[in-house]
Coordinates of all heavy atoms in Angstrom, one line a residue:
N113 N 14.4 -1.0 5.3 CA 14.4 0.1 4.4 C 13.1 0.9 4.4 O 12.9 1.8 3.6 CB 14.6 -0.4 2.9 CG 16.0 -1.1 2.8 OD1 17.0 -0.5 3.2 ND2 16.0 -2.2 2.1
L114 N 12.2 0.6 5.4 CA 10.9 1.2 5.4 C 11.0 2.7 5.6 O 10.3 3.5 5.0 CB 10.0 0.6 6.5 CG 9.4 -0.7 6.2 CD1 8.6 -1.2 7.4 CD2 8.5 -0.7 5.0
D115 N 11.9 3.2 6.5 CA 12.0 4.6 6.7 C 12.4 5.4 5.4 O 11.7 6.4 5.1 CB 13.1 4.9 7.7 CG 12.6 4.7 9.2 OD1 11.4 4.4 9.3 OD2 13.5 4.6 10.1
A116 N 13.3 4.9 4.7 CA 13.7 5.5 3.4 C 12.6 5.4 2.4 O 12.4 6.4 1.6 CB 15.0 4.8 2.9
Y117 N 11.9 4.3 2.4 CA 10.8 4.1 1.5 C 9.7 5.1 1.7 O 9.2 5.8 0.8 CB 10.2 2.7 1.6 CG 8.9 2.4 1.0 CD1 8.8 2.2 -0.4 CD2 7.8 2.3 1.8 CE1 7.6 2.0 -1.0 CE2 6.5 2.0 1.2 CZ 6.4 1.8 -0.2 OH 5.2 1.5 -0.7
F118 N 9.3 5.3 3.0 CA 8.2 6.3 3.3 C 8.7 7.7 3.0 O 7.9 8.6 2.6 CB 7.7 6.1 4.7 CG 6.9 4.8 4.9 CD1 7.3 3.9 5.8 CD2 5.8 4.6 4.1 CE1 6.5 2.7 6.0 CE2 5.0 3.4 4.2 CZ 5.4 2.5 5.2
R119 N 9.9 8.0 3.3 CA 10.4 9.3 3.1 C 10.4 9.7 1.6 O 10.0 10.8 1.2 CB 11.9 9.5 3.6 CG 12.0 9.7 5.1 CD 13.4 10.3 5.4 NE 14.4 9.3 5.0 CZ 14.9 8.4 5.8 NH1 14.4 8.2 7.0 NH2 15.9 7.6 5.4
K120 N 10.7 8.7 0.7 CA 10.7 8.9 -0.7 C 9.3 9.1 -1.2 O 9.0 9.9 -2.0 CB 11.3 7.7 -1.4 CG 11.5 7.9 -2.9 CD 12.4 9.1 -3.3 CE 12.5 9.4 -4.7 NZ 13.3 10.5 -5.1
C121 N 8.3 8.3 -0.6 CA 6.9 8.5 -1.0 C 6.5 9.9 -0.7 O 5.8 10.5 -1.5 CB 6.1 7.4 -0.3 SG 6.3 5.7 -0.9
A122 N 6.9 10.4 0.5 CA 6.5 11.7 0.9 C 7.0 12.8 -0.1 O 6.4 13.8 -0.4 CB 6.9 12.0 2.3
Q123 N 8.3 12.6 -0.5 CA 8.9 13.5 -1.4 C 8.2 13.6 -2.8 O 8.1 14.6 -3.4 CB 10.4 13.1 -1.6 CG 11.2 13.3 -0.4 CD 12.6 12.7 -0.6 OE1 13.0 12.3 -1.7 NE2 13.4 12.7 0.4
L124 N 7.6 12.4 -3.2 CA 7.0 12.3 -4.5 C 5.5 12.8 -4.5 O 5.0 13.0 -5.6 CB 7.1 10.9 -5.0 CG 8.5 10.4 -5.3 CD1 8.4 8.8 -5.5 CD2 9.0 11.0 -6.6
L125 N 5.0 13.0 -3.4 CA 3.6 13.5 -3.3 C 3.5 15.0 -3.2 O 4.3 15.6 -2.5 CB 2.9 12.9 -2.0 CG 2.2 11.5 -2.2 CD1 1.6 11.1 -0.8 CD2 1.1 11.6 -3.2
R126 N 2.5 15.5 -3.8 CA 2.2 17.0 -3.6 C 1.7 17.2 -2.2 O 1.3 16.2 -1.5 CB 1.1 17.4 -4.6 CG 1.4 17.3 -6.0 CD 0.3 17.9 -6.9 NE 0.5 17.6 -8.3 CZ 1.4 18.3 -9.1 NH1 2.0 19.3 -8.6 NH2 1.5 18.0 -10.4
P127 N 1.8 18.4 -1.7 CA 1.5 18.6 -0.2 C 0.1 18.2 0.1 O -0.1 17.7 1.3 CB 1.6 20.2 -0.1 CG 2.6 20.5 -1.2 CD 2.4 19.6 -2.3
D128 N -0.9 18.2 -0.8 CA -2.2 17.8 -0.5 C -2.5 16.4 -1.1 O -3.7 16.0 -1.3 CB -3.2 18.8 -1.0 CG -3.1 19.0 -2.5 OD1 -2.1 18.6 -3.1 OD2 -4.0 19.6 -3.1
G129 N -1.4 15.7 -1.4 CA -1.6 14.4 -2.1 C -2.0 13.3 -1.2 O -2.1 13.4 0.0
T130 N -2.4 12.1 -1.8 CA -2.9 11.0 -1.0 C -2.1 9.7 -1.4 O -1.7 9.5 -2.6 CB -4.4 10.7 -1.4 OG1 -5.1 11.9 -1.1 CG2 -4.9 9.6 -0.5
I131 N -1.8 8.9 -0.4 CA -1.0 7.6 -0.7 C -1.9 6.5 -0.2 O -2.6 6.6 0.8 CB 0.3 7.6 0.0 CG1 1.1 6.3 -0.3 CG2 0.2 7.9 1.5 CD1 2.5 6.3 0.2
E132 N -1.8 5.4 -0.9 CA -2.5 4.2 -0.5 C -1.5 3.0 -0.6 O -1.0 2.7 -1.7 CB -3.8 3.9 -1.3 CG -4.5 2.6 -0.9 CD -5.0 2.6 0.5 OE1 -5.2 3.7 1.1 OE2 -5.0 1.5 1.1
R133 N -1.2 2.3 0.5 CA -0.4 1.1 0.5 C -1.2 -0.1 0.7 O -2.0 -0.1 1.7 CB 0.7 1.2 1.5 CG 1.5 2.5 1.4 CD 2.5 2.7 2.6 NE 1.8 2.6 3.9 CZ 1.2 3.6 4.5 NH1 1.1 4.7 3.9 NH2 0.7 3.4 5.6
F134 N -1.1 -1.1 -0.1 CA -1.9 -2.3 0.1 C -0.9 -3.5 0.1 O -0.1 -3.7 -0.8 CB -2.9 -2.5 -1.1 CG -3.9 -3.6 -0.9 CD1 -5.2 -3.3 -0.6 CD2 -3.5 -4.9 -1.0 CE1 -6.1 -4.4 -0.4 CE2 -4.4 -6.0 -0.8 CZ -5.7 -5.7 -0.5
T135 N -1.0 -4.2 1.3 CA 0.0 -5.3 1.4 C -0.6 -6.4 2.2 O -1.6 -6.2 3.0 CB 1.3 -4.8 2.1 OG1 2.2 -5.9 2.1 CG2 1.0 -4.4 3.6
K136 N -0.2 -7.6 1.9 CA -0.5 -8.8 2.7 C 0.8 -9.3 3.3 O 1.8 -9.6 2.6 CB -1.1 -9.9 1.8 CG -2.4 -9.5 1.1 CD -3.6 -9.4 2.1 CE -4.9 -9.2 1.4 NZ -6.0 -9.1 2.3
L137 N 0.8 -9.5 4.6 CA 2.0 -9.9 5.3 C 1.8 -11.3 5.9 O 0.8 -11.5 6.6 CB 2.4 -8.9 6.4 CG 2.7 -7.5 5.9 CD1 3.1 -6.6 7.1 CD2 3.8 -7.5 4.9
S138 N 2.6 -12.2 5.6 CA 2.5 -13.6 6.1 C 2.4 -13.7 7.6 O 3.2 -13.1 8.3 CB 3.7 -14.4 5.6 OG 3.6 -15.7 6.0
G139 N 1.4 -14.4 8.1 CA 1.3 -14.6 9.5 C 0.6 -13.5 10.3 O 0.5 -13.4 11.5
L140 N 0.0 -12.5 9.5 CA -0.5 -11.3 10.1 C -2.0 -11.3 10.0 O -2.6 -11.6 9.0 CB 0.0 -10.1 9.4 CG -0.5 -8.7 9.9 CD1 -0.2 -8.5 11.3 CD2 0.1 -7.6 9.0
G141 N -2.7 -11.0 11.2 CA -4.2 -10.9 11.2 C -4.8 -12.3 11.3 O -4.2 -13.3 11.6
N142 N -6.1 -12.3 11.1 CA -6.9 -13.5 11.4 C -7.4 -14.2 10.2 O -7.8 -15.4 10.3 CB -8.2 -13.0 12.2 CG -7.8 -12.4 13.6 OD1 -6.8 -12.9 14.2 ND2 -8.5 -11.4 14.0
S143 N -7.4 -13.6 9.0 CA -7.9 -14.3 7.9 C -7.3 -13.8 6.6 O -6.6 -12.8 6.6 CB -9.5 -14.2 7.8 OG -9.8 -12.9 7.5
M144 N -7.7 -14.4 5.5 CA -7.2 -14.0 4.2 C -7.7 -12.6 3.8 O -7.2 -11.9 2.9 CB -7.6 -15.0 3.1 CG -6.9 -16.3 3.1 SD -7.4 -17.4 1.9 CE -7.0 -16.5 0.4
S145 N -8.8 -12.2 4.5 CA -9.4 -10.9 4.1 C -8.8 -9.7 4.8 O -9.1 -8.6 4.6 CB -10.9 -10.9 4.4 OG -11.1 -11.1 5.8
D146 N -7.8 -10.0 5.8 CA -7.2 -8.9 6.5 C -6.4 -8.1 5.6 O -5.6 -8.6 4.8 CB -6.3 -9.5 7.7 CG -7.2 -9.9 8.8 OD1 -8.4 -9.6 8.8 OD2 -6.6 -10.6 9.8
E147 N -6.5 -6.8 5.7 CA -5.8 -5.8 4.9 C -5.0 -4.9 5.8 O -5.5 -4.4 6.8 CB -6.7 -5.0 4.1 CG -6.1 -3.9 3.3 CD -7.1 -3.0 2.6 OE1 -8.3 -3.4 2.5 OE2 -6.7 -1.9 2.2
V148 N -3.7 -4.7 5.5 CA -2.9 -3.8 6.3 C -3.3 -2.3 6.0 O -3.2 -1.9 4.8 CB -1.4 -4.0 6.1 CG1 -0.6 -3.0 6.8 CG2 -1.0 -5.4 6.5
L149 N -3.7 -1.5 7.0 CA -4.1 -0.2 6.8 C -3.0 0.9 7.2 O -3.0 2.0 6.7 CB -5.4 0.1 7.6 CG -6.6 -0.7 7.2 CD1 -7.8 -0.3 8.1 CD2 -6.9 -0.6 5.8
D150 N -2.1 0.5 8.1 CA -1.0 1.4 8.4 C 0.1 0.6 9.0 O -0.1 -0.5 9.6 CB -1.5 2.5 9.4 CG -0.7 3.7 9.4 OD1 0.2 3.8 8.5 OD2 -0.9 4.6 10.3
L151 N 1.3 1.2 8.9 CA 2.5 0.6 9.5 C 3.3 1.7 10.2 O 3.3 2.8 9.8 CB 3.4 0.0 8.3 CG 2.9 -1.3 7.6 CD1 3.7 -1.5 6.4 CD2 3.1 -2.5 8.5
A152 N 4.0 1.3 11.2 CA 4.9 2.2 11.9 C 6.1 1.4 12.6 O 5.9 0.2 12.8 CB 4.1 2.9 13.0
E153 N 7.2 2.1 12.8 CA 8.3 1.5 13.4 C 8.7 2.3 14.7 O 8.9 3.5 14.6 CB 9.5 1.4 12.5 CG 10.8 0.7 13.1 CD 11.9 0.6 12.1 OE1 11.8 1.1 11.0 OE2 12.9 -0.1 12.4
T154 N 8.8 1.6 15.8 CA 9.2 2.2 17.0 C 10.7 2.3 17.2 O 11.4 1.5 16.4 CB 8.6 1.5 18.2 OG1 8.7 0.1 18.1 CG2 7.1 1.8 18.3
P155 N 11.3 3.1 18.0 CA 12.7 3.3 18.1 C 13.5 2.0 18.4 O 14.7 1.9 18.1 CB 12.9 4.3 19.3 CG 11.7 5.1 19.3 CD 10.6 4.1 18.9
D156 N 12.8 1.0 19.0 CA 13.5 -0.3 19.3 C 13.5 -1.2 18.1 O 14.0 -2.4 18.2 CB 12.8 -1.0 20.5 CG 11.3 -1.2 20.3 OD1 10.8 -0.9 19.2 OD2 10.7 -1.8 21.2

Side-chain angles (χ1 to χ4, degrees):
N113 298 314
L114 283 179
D115 283 349
Y117 167 75
F118 288 124
R119 280 197 301 271
K120 186 62 180 179
C121 288
Q123 292 170 7
L124 292 166
L125 270 178
R126 297 185 189 280
D128 58 347
T130 305
I131 182 173
E132 177 62 28
R133 307 173 305 278
F134 188 105
T135 188
K136 298 288 187 180
L137 300 179
S138 177
L140 178 60
N142 297 325
S143 71
M144 290 179 63
S145 65
D146 282 351
E147 176 188 345
V148 175
L149 300 180
D150 203 7
L151 289 166
E153 182 177 6
T154 45
D156 56 1

